[in-house]
């Protein structure tokens, strides 16, 4: 069964400094990966989706995928206090299955301080 | 306009009582999901549905039932609520594409069972 681990559990960065979050997964046949953001007491919003090794940028958010190393990361450029939230990594198996259930990591709590 | 709406947003129930959490989506997605989110466990899938009339067990279905009477509506039912079901519940909708399944979440329903 797919296992998804995120690190660090919590992270504090200064406004404007790069924030880097990590996610490792156990099943190398997984084919798509998503990063979600969850503000306190709110639902989840998808930030970036990535399906092949390399880099995918969506505004200030960049995901890097390395399947060989079972690793996907999220980098937030010029983070702002409004980016303070919990960030969740989600992994799903090969889409050839009739239903691709997402498996979520436990989240990284990011605080951006002025 | 929020595309996935949940009700109630907050609920206090007594042990042994019946609780129904409702979810409505205007995305016209075939698939809908119920997750619970607990500290230390992340998001765990309870039930999901492929479309009206369909319900499937997720990873932690015990103690829960689901109902999908229409494309738009998906309910989670706790027939005999227990304190261990105190949690935040999230509904989501999504559709399968060649690149997988992006989920769109509601804002959550906080349930306390006393």
């Amino acid at each position: 069964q797919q296992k998804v681990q995120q690190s660090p559990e919590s992270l504090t960065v200064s406004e404007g400094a790069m924030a880097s979050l990590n996610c490792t997964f156990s099943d190398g046949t997984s084919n798509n990966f998503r990063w979600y953001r969850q503000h306190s007491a709110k639902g989840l919003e998808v930030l970036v989706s990535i399906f092949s090794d390399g880099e995918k940028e969506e505004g200030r958010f960049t995901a890097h995928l390395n399947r060989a190393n079972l690793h996907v990361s999220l980098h937030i450029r010029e983070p702002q206090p409004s980016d303070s939230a919990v960030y969740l990594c989600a992994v799903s198996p090969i889409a050839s299955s009739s239903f691709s259930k997402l498996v979520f990591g436990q989240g990284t709590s990011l605080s951006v301080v002025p | 306009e929020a595309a996935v709406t949940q009700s109630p947003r907050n609920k206090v129930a007594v042990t042994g009582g019946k609780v129904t959490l409702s979810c409505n989506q205007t995305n016209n997605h075939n698939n809908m999901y119920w997750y619970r989110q607990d500290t230390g466990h992340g998001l765990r899938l309870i039930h999901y549905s492929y479309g009206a009339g369909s319900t499937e067990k997720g990873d932690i279905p015990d103690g829960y039932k689901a109902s999908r009477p229409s494309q738009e509506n998906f309910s989670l039912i706790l027939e005999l609520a227990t304190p261990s079901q105190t949690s935040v519940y999230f509904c989501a909708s999504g559709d399968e594409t060649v690149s997988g399944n992006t989920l769109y979440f509601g804002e959550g329903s906080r349930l306390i069972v006393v």
Side-chain angles (χ1 to χ4, degrees):
Chain A
Q1 186 176 356
Q2 177 73 266
K3 295 193 185 304
V4 179
Q5 296 285 342
Q6 290 185 239
S7 63
E9 283 189 19
S10 62
L11 177 65
T12 299
V13 299
S14 298
E15 186 174 1
M18 178 76 79
S20 297
L21 289 66
N22 298 295
C23 177
T24 58
F25 48 95
S26 59
D27 182 356
T29 63
S30 300
N31 80 322
N32 60 74
F33 308 83
R34 290 174 174 84
W35 283 95
Y36 285 84
R37 178 170 67 181
Q38 183 180 27
H39 284 110
S40 179
K42 297 287 188 181
L44 285 71
E45 58 172 324
V46 59
L47 296 173
V48 59
S49 302
I50 187 166
F51 312 119
S52 56
D53 283 350
E55 182 180 297
K56 174 79 177 295
E57 182 177 313
E58 296 282 357
R60 295 183 296 109
F61 302 95
T62 302
H64 291 264
L65 174 62
N66 184 327
R67 272 202 191 77
N69 289 341
L70 303 176
H71 183 259
V72 59
S73 59
L74 178 69
H75 303 276
I76 306 172
R77 181 169 43 86
E78 298 177 359
Q80 300 152 12
S82 59
D83 291 320
S84 297
V86 174
Y87 289 77
L88 292 156
C89 171
V91 178
S92 62
I94 293 176
S96 61
S97 63
S98 61
F99 184 84
S100 56
K101 291 187 293 183
L102 293 182
V103 177
F104 286 86
Q106 293 177 328
T108 292
S109 178
L110 175 67
S111 295
V112 182
V113 297
Chain B
E1 292 287 336
V4 180
T5 56
Q6 297 181 225
S7 64
R9 295 291 313 280
N10 295 281
K11 172 79 176 177
V12 178
V14 296
T15 298
K18 182 177 181 178
V19 176
T20 300
L21 304 180
S22 300
C23 179
N24 175 275
Q25 56 109 351
T26 57
N27 297 318
N28 199 31
H29 288 150
N30 290 319
N31 302 336
M32 295 186 74
Y33 310 75
W34 276 106
Y35 288 88
R36 62 178 285 176
Q37 186 177 35
D38 305 285
T39 303
H41 290 282
L43 277 162
R44 293 181 290 174
L45 181 63
I46 306 170
H47 283 288
Y48 60 97
S49 168
Y50 293 118
S54 126
T55 61
E56 306 291 336
K57 293 180 179 180
D59 298 322
I60 53 163
D62 292 346
Y64 303 93
K65 292 183 180 179
S67 173
R68 182 86 181 271
S70 65
Q71 178 84 340
E72 297 80 16
N73 296 294
F74 189 38
S75 297
L76 185 68
I77 303 153
L78 292 65
E79 295 278 5
L80 295 169
T82 67
S84 65
Q85 294 175 313
T86 293
S87 187
V88 181
Y89 293 85
F90 287 96
C91 176
S93 73
D95 259 345
E96 292 290 322
T97 67
V98 294
S99 55
N101 193 347
T102 294
L103 300 187
Y104 298 88
F105 285 81
E107 294 201 334
S109 295
R110 185 176 299 274
L111 173 66
I112 298 172
V113 182
V114 298

